Amino acid sequence: MTMKTVVLLLTRDLRVHDQPALAAACANAERVVPLFVADPALDVPDNRRRFLLESLRDLRDALRSRGGDLLVRSGDPVAETIRLARAVGAEGVALTADVSAYALRRQERLARACGRERLALKLFAGVTVVPAGEVTPSTGGDHYKVFTPYWRAWQAHRWRATVATPRKILLPDGLTGDDPGTVLGDAKSESPSPMPGGESEARRRLKAWLPQAAAYPDRHDDMPGDATSRLSPYLHFGCLSPLALATTGGLPDAYLRQLCWRDFYQQLLAAFPNLGLQAYRPNADEQWKDDPVALQAWQAGATGVPIVDAGMRQLAAEGWMHNRARLITASYLTKTLGLDWRAGAAWFARLLLDADVANNNGNWQWVAGTGTDTKPYRRFSPQRQTERFDPDGEYIRRWT
Ligand SMILES: Cc1cc2nc3c(=O)[nH]c(=O)nc-3n(C[C@H](O)[C@H](O)[C@H](O)COP(=O)(O)OP(=O)(O)OC[C@H]3O[C@@H](n4cnc5c(N)ncnc54)[C@H](O)[C@@H]3O)c2cc1C
């Protein structure tokens, strides 16, 4: 059925390529109103706020070049969507589905409000390769608790087809877009050297990195080599479609496996909404020590353990940290210092451009031994890790 007007509520799907919600809105409605609502309840830290602003500006350019525009509001996303839908006489609302407890509440509230207003709400896939809950263990249960069987099922599963980028996007007559900066304010990065945001930058980076992809299995742990794709912030904000990425030719299985970890934690969060608050493994939370001085030294990169300090300084400088360094610094905080993983996850969440409820807490719990690691007592020795992954001390020197 063709509708006259649909409001597309954007969240962390900030792209025009392989964007199922946008593509469907354009295919099913004559006019599409792309809307982003800065939600004060989310309290986005400065690093991600700046990345978000750049991503929204880039998205606005992409929409405008196709004849559309981006509307930006501040407030409760449900109230703002309904207000705008009324103002433009919309018949439907499109939204990319997400799984955090907050996103689910927002979806439910939106569904109720749309019901009251007689607006058709439609949810679309887009934040993962395989939507959470779409593959479940044949042995029962609503999610996979262990990665390797999930990886097998994920590979065997039939993925949705990617969707075409709309060529033309038409706003209702008389409606104009907004500069996201006027709503998000002066978003100044806390880290001095962060990656720039936006879909254009994501696509440029992917293209530049692809020739190195074949070397990923050998080089992804090479700390000074910095040979991973650095696409995580773009995946977090949806500047890049994880499915389009996964179906890009030339990616080795080792890389797809990492993308699968991302989906794995998403399905874990969907099934266990308290992932950021509570140990996933029953009774796994220890008596964590309370030592604010040790915590502060870890945060500041001043523990005196060179590889740990280097990682923490990379995080502060770039708002990003190499995966191997994340493992080492997190293991040091929880298993060596005996401090609570939640304090570590909170510090990462403040600074990381890619900080994600699912990935951040899922990985922290894995390292702390409270999550899905099948060897929960393993500890990464900083010395051995340095010998293996930074043998010449180049990474340490770079971040000292
Ligand atoms: C304690 C800790 C906290 C972490 N917090 C986050 C977080 O908040 N957000 C986040 O995106 N990643 C997180 N990770 C996972 C991983 O470190 C980053 O995704 C990766 O370093 C990003 O760099 P990249 O894009 O170059 O990765 P690549 O090696 O190029 O991998 C490609 C993509 O696969 C995904 N991926 C890779 N490793 C993992 C993993 N272990 N778990 C889930 N997805 C993965 C990411 O989306 C990444 O962009 C964390 C890891 C640890 C140990």
Side-chain angles (χ1 to χ4, degrees):
M1 185 190 76
T2 305
M3 294 189 209
K4 191 139 183 59
T5 308
V6 162
V7 174
L8 166 68
L9 175 59
L10 294 152
T11 53
R12 57 186 195 105
D13 49 353
L14 307 180
R15 63 174 182 272
V16 295
H17 294 88
D18 186 42
Q19 220 295 22
L22 171 68
C26 291
N28 296 320
E30 288 166 25
R31 310 280 164 154
V32 175
V33 188
L35 166 70
F36 182 84
V37 183
D39 180 351
L42 286 175
D43 196 18
V44 182
D46 290 348
N47 272 358
R48 282 203 299 292
R49 198 175 189 72
R50 194 264 333 160
F51 194 95
L52 171 64
L53 177 59
E54 291 178 3
S55 301
L56 289 170
R57 286 202 163 125
D58 186 64
L59 177 63
R60 185 178 189 209
D61 289 346
L63 294 168
R64 290 177 93 168
S65 73
R66 288 165 177 80
D69 209 328
L70 177 67
L71 278 80
V72 188
R73 300 283 183 269
S74 169
D76 170 34
V78 173
E80 292 303 322
T81 303
I82 299 296
R83 193 197 312 272
L84 186 61
R86 275 189 200 145
V88 298
E91 291 152 85
V93 174
L95 174 73
T96 299
D98 207 348
V99 302
S100 71
Y102 189 81
L104 288 177
R105 262 200 316 277
R106 182 176 60 202
Q107 260 158 235
E108 281 159 20
R109 287 198 301 117
L110 186 60
R112 277 200 301 276
C114 285
R116 281 195 299 271
E117 300 282 324
R118 296 181 190 282
L119 283 162
L121 172 67
K122 221 166 157 4
L123 300 182
F124 295 88
V127 299
T128 47
V129 178
V130 174
E134 210 170 278
V135 293
T136 50
S138 52
T139 49
D142 61 353
H143 71 294
Y144 280 87
K145 297 173 187 290
V146 178
F147 177 73
T148 308
Y150 179 73
W151 163 233
R152 275 191 232 109
W154 186 86
Q155 283 176 298
H157 188 66
R158 199 189 162 122
W159 298 349
R160 74 167 167 86
T162 53
V163 299
T165 310
R167 277 201 222 110
K168 195 113 204 86
I169 301 164
L170 282 181
L171 276 186
D173 292 334
L175 205 61
T176 50
D178 307 285
D179 172 10
T182 56
V183 178
L184 268 81
D186 183 23
K188 218 171 156 328
S189 180
E190 182 173 350
S191 296
S193 324
M195 289 184 256
E199 180 178 18
S200 311
E201 177 64 19
R203 290 167 69 81
R204 193 195 63 71
R205 273 176 187 261
L206 172 59
K207 206 165 155 217
W209 182 77
L210 269 180
Q212 299 180 50
Y216 183 83
D218 296 328
R219 298 201 56 213
H220 70 101
D221 269 332
D222 170 1
M223 297 176 80
D226 201 2
T228 64
S229 67
R230 282 184 176 249
L231 291 173
S232 51
Y234 305 93
L235 287 165
H236 170 68
F237 283 99
C239 302
L240 199 62
S241 151
L243 178 73
L245 175 60
T247 50
T248 303
L251 292 174
D253 262 12
Y255 189 82
L256 291 178
R257 204 180 146 86
Q258 296 314 111
L259 286 178
C260 181
W261 269 108
R262 185 175 174 275
D263 282 12
F264 174 74
Y265 285 129
Q266 195 80 7
Q267 58 102 47
L268 199 73
L269 175 65
F272 188 73
N274 272 351
L275 192 64
L277 304 171
Q278 192 186 330
Y280 173 73
R281 216 155 45 80
N283 309 317
D285 254 336
E286 298 177 21
Q287 284 306 311
W288 304 104
K289 280 185 211 143
D290 186 22
D291 186 344
V293 176
L295 177 63
Q296 234 172 34
W298 176 84
Q299 290 171 336
T303 64
V305 181
I307 196 82
V308 172
D309 293 345
M312 297 307 290
R313 288 186 196 152
Q314 179 178 28
L315 173 64
E318 297 194 330
W320 186 86
M321 199 199 290
H322 192 283
N323 178 60
R324 186 49 54 181
R326 298 190 201 202
L327 291 167
I328 299 169
T329 53
S331 175
Y332 185 78
L333 185 82
T334 54
K335 301 231 165 113
T336 305
L337 297 176
L339 300 187
D340 196 327
W341 57 271
R342 279 158 284 234
W347 186 253
F348 272 30
R350 165 167 162 177
L351 291 167
L352 281 176
L353 298 172
D354 61 32
D356 205 283
V357 183
N359 278 345
N360 193 29
N361 296 302
N363 274 290
W364 268 97
Q365 291 225 36
W366 188 93
V367 177
T370 60
T372 57
D373 189 1
T374 46
K375 296 183 207 143
Y377 299 106
R378 87 171 91 198
R379 179 180 156 266
F380 293 92
S381 147
Q383 217 166 358
R384 274 212 17 90
Q385 294 283 311
T386 309
E387 282 159 19
R388 285 184 66 189
F389 303 117
D390 189 27
D392 302 322
E394 204 182 320
Y395 178 82
I396 290 175
R397 276 195 302 282
R398 189 178 304 158
W399 296 110
T400 302

